[in-house]
Amino acid sequence: MASVEKMPMLQIGHEKLSEELRALKIERPLIVDAIEEARAHGDLSENAEYHAAKERQGQVEATISDLEDKLSRAQVIDPKTLSGDKIVFGATVTLLDEDDKPVKYQLVGQAEADAKKGMISYNSPLGRALIGKTVDEEVELTVPSGDKYYLVEKIEFI
């Protein structure tokens, strides 16, 4: 029997997905109403409103299915309950770049990743390179813009 792969995520990511799912479930009956109204206008072959509503219905149903799958596999992790000297999911890491400028990232799930906010997916190239590293260890990775080098300065679980 195949095992279901758990999706690690922070509580904030779980709440964001749950809220998105709630909003789509509220929209669902409105789309059905729009389809019924458009159907009442007659000839469906040239009915743009009908086709747009049916297309939106397909998008919403696919997104609902995807969100329900992610939430059913969610493994909510609270970084404050973690400890240790190695970088793991949920850790907040301060790195020194090649110019000794500090950069700070938290390793999060794919659903909550936002590089502008310093939240990178554990599955991203940098995230994968960081997993298992310790303080004072060097991290090297190749990205489209070239090779990047970092030094792990601090690991926190906040």
Side-chain angles (χ1 to χ4, degrees), residues 7 9-27 63-64 66-76 111-112:
M7 279 189 73
M9 65 179 65
L10 302 178
Q11 184 63 37
I12 191 168
H14 190 272
E15 290 167 4
K16 179 180 160 192
L17 292 180
S18 297
E19 184 53 41
E20 189 178 341
L21 180 61
R22 272 192 293 280
L24 288 173
K25 284 186 173 183
I26 290 169
E27 183 181 354
T63 305
I64 286 174
D66 182 52
L67 290 172
E68 286 176 338
D69 174 60
K70 287 178 179 174
L71 288 168
S72 73
R73 295 184 298 126
Q75 179 182 4
V76 178
E112 55 215 335

Side-chain angles (χ1 to χ4, degrees), residues 1 5 16 20 31 46-48 65 71 76 98 132 134-135 142 152 155:
M1 186 169 145
E5 183 185 338
K16 179 180 160 192
E20 189 178 341
I31 295 171
E46 295 181 19
N47 190 328
S65 178
L71 288 168
V76 178
E98 294 151 7
T134 58
V135 172
T142 302
V152 178
I155 302 170

Side-chain angles (χ1 to χ4, degrees), residues 24-98:
L24 288 173
K25 284 186 173 183
I26 290 169
E27 183 181 354
R28 193 187 246 168
L30 302 176
I31 295 171
V32 172
D33 291 345
I35 291 171
E36 290 302 317
E37 185 179 322
R39 190 177 276 152
H41 291 175
D43 185 9
L44 297 181
S45 65
E46 295 181 19
N47 190 328
E49 291 89 3
Y50 174 79
H51 293 290
K54 287 296 280 182
E55 185 174 322
R56 178 66 185 149
Q57 183 182 40
Q59 293 168 340
V60 166
E61 292 303 325
T63 305
I64 286 174
S65 178
D66 182 52
L67 290 172
E68 286 176 338
D69 174 60
K70 287 178 179 174
L71 288 168
S72 73
R73 295 184 298 126
Q75 179 182 4
V76 178
I77 295 174
D78 181 358
K80 295 178 188 113
T81 64
L82 304 173
S83 63
D85 59 355
K86 289 190 177 195
I87 299 172
V88 295
F89 178 90
T92 299
V93 185
T94 303
L95 306 171
L96 295 177
D97 67 10
E98 294 151 7

